[in-house]
Amino acid sequence: MIDKRVKNAKEAIAGISDGMTLIVGGFGLCGIPENSINALVESNVTNLTCISNNAGVDDFGLGLLLQKKQIKKMIASYVGENAEFERQMLSGELDVELTPQGTLAEKCRAAQHGIPAFYTPAGYGTEVAEGKETKEFDGKMHILEHAFKADYSIVKAWKGDHAGNLIFKGTARNFNAPMAGSGKITIAEVEELVEPGQLDPNEIHIPGIMVQRIFQGEKFEKRIEQRTVRKRP
């Protein structure tokens, strides 16, 4: 068995340099690789292209990298909660590529499985389709979307073992699962790092073959982006 453990986030992100493309897991603020993002902020790496469902908020998640202008291009499906993102986009400081959420997930999954491209009806007839090949299937027009090409994928899991096998919990599975293995190197930070054999094989979501580095994170904030509650009856 190959032991893929590294000591901490700083060691995990070693090799990430200026101008690279990163795929970053999470859904809203749920299941984001907090420790890895903080390590990237401290590394002062710049000119990054980040692919993620959203861009965090102003003072958390990818918003921290935006604050220091370490991201030059953002590829995402939803960015509505980040005022600094909005400012940089409107001022032209940040290159933005908005992608339908399902297409973004499938572009990750395609990369994960070695599929170079696929056809989807999502976005046909809109700006999303500009400059892209189109084709008709069963009387409906589709556009050709290419799989992402990224240097690193950074995901966050609930549990993992030394070999890189991962289990996600709840909503954190939405984008972390298809993003694991979609970059040349996948970094996984986990809440609990266990010994080989301690994970039930039937519960593993991502096999270790898709992960190159794994470490146990610490001090997860697990913020709630929009807290909605109802009054008790």
Side-chain angles (χ1 to χ4, degrees):
M1 187 200 72
I2 300 174
D3 190 339
K4 300 177 181 179
R5 289 176 296 173
V6 294
K7 293 180 181 179
N8 49 41
K10 183 177 180 179
E11 188 172 316
I13 67 163
I16 296 179
S17 58
D18 295 353
M20 284 190 169
T21 297
L22 311 179
I23 293 177
V24 185
F27 186 75
L29 298 182
C30 177
I32 66 173
E34 300 175 29
N35 290 266
S36 298
I37 292 172
N38 290 336
L40 287 170
V41 172
E42 293 175 2
S43 75
N44 292 317
V45 64
T46 189
N47 289 324
L48 297 173
T49 294
C50 287
I51 301 165
S52 185
N53 178 61
N54 65 300
V57 291
D58 290 286
D59 62 343
F60 192 61
L62 291 179
L64 296 173
L65 290 169
L66 286 168
Q67 277 189 352
K68 291 184 63 177
K69 298 184 179 180
Q70 292 171 267
I71 300 175
K72 70 170 183 179
K73 182 176 182 179
M74 191 77 210
I75 301 173
S77 67
Y78 176 73
V79 295
E81 304 299 328
N82 194 315
E84 177 60 17
F85 180 101
E86 178 184 15
R87 189 196 66 76
Q88 290 187 27
M89 181 177 71
L90 295 177
S91 68
E93 298 173 39
L94 180 68
D95 187 7
V96 178
E97 183 178 320
L98 294 177
T99 304
Q101 193 168 77
T103 301
L104 189 142
E106 188 64 11
K107 284 163 74 78
C108 291
R109 194 189 71 86
Q112 181 189 66
H113 290 271
I115 299 169
F118 59 92
Y119 282 98
T120 175
Y124 178 76
T126 72
E127 292 181 3
V128 171
E130 289 182 3
K132 296 177 182 176
E133 180 183 327
T134 61
K135 192 170 184 177
E136 183 178 334
F137 293 93
D138 299 323
K140 190 172 186 177
M141 295 303 297
H142 292 64
I143 61 176
L144 183 66
E145 292 282 3
H146 292 266
F148 286 130
K149 294 180 180 179
D151 299 293
Y152 285 79
S153 290
I154 308 174
V155 301
K156 189 256 183 178
W158 177 40
K159 290 183 180 181
D161 64 16
H162 300 183
N165 296 303
L166 303 177
I167 296 176
F168 303 104
K169 188 174 184 179
T171 307
R173 187 178 176 184
N174 282 10
F175 277 91
N176 280 299
M179 287 178 169
S182 58
K184 294 177 183 177
I185 295 175
T186 292
I187 299 166
E189 66 175 73
V190 298
E191 293 184 39
E192 186 177 348
L193 189 57
V194 302
E195 297 290 331
Q198 287 188 270
L199 299 180
D200 183 344
N202 295 305
E203 295 180 355
I204 291 172
H205 296 130
I206 291 295
I209 194 171
M210 292 185 177
V211 177
Q212 284 70 48
R213 303 174 190 174
I214 189 169
F215 71 97
Q216 182 164 321
E218 58 182 14
K219 300 178 181 178
F220 289 104
E221 290 189 46
K222 297 185 179 181
R223 292 195 196 179
I224 297 174
E225 192 166 1
Q226 290 288 352
R227 186 178 182 89
T228 303
V229 297
R230 63 180 178 85
K231 293 181 180 179
R232 293 184 180 276

